[in-house]
Amino acid sequence: MTGGAPVAEVDIVKGLKAIEEIKVEMLKAQWAMQEGSLRGSEGDMLQGLADLVALSYLLTRRMGFDFSKLDRTLLQRLEEWKTEDHHKVETQWGDISLLLSYLAPED
């Protein structure tokens, strides 16, 4: 028998490391989006935003949740924001309703 750590412990450590790395990547993506905004770079802004969305899904999975649970929680949160008129984006522009109809179109 070798003196190494049990496989389960190694998996937990690897999982925690992956979670921390994804969180760091999310901060980098937010920074890239902000930098793109300051430079007026549409490509950098969109890439940063896309990275944030993708990394959110990856982090969801690493934390033990299904992607669909994140989707359901997102839709619920948007409904709450719509009711609260979060940051006035609903009354001024209808952005939350537009996003809800995009994410969950009614047939």
Side-chain angles (χ1 to χ4, degrees), residues 74-75 78-79 82 95-105:
L74 173 60
L75 292 172
L78 288 170
E79 289 289 353
K82 183 178 172 183
D95 287 351
I96 297 172
S97 292
L98 186 63
L99 180 55
L100 280 166
S101 66
Y102 173 77
L103 293 173

Side-chain angles (χ1 to χ4, degrees), residues 22 26 50-75 103:
I22 292 169
M26 290 178 89
D51 287 353
L52 284 169
V53 172
L55 289 163
S56 293
Y57 278 94
L58 295 176
L59 184 59
T60 295
R61 175 78 171 111
R62 284 298 92 226
M63 295 181 80
F65 302 109
D66 292 331
F67 298 138
S68 62
K69 186 156 189 154
L70 178 60
D71 290 340
R72 289 190 304 274
T73 304
L74 173 60
L75 292 172
L103 293 173

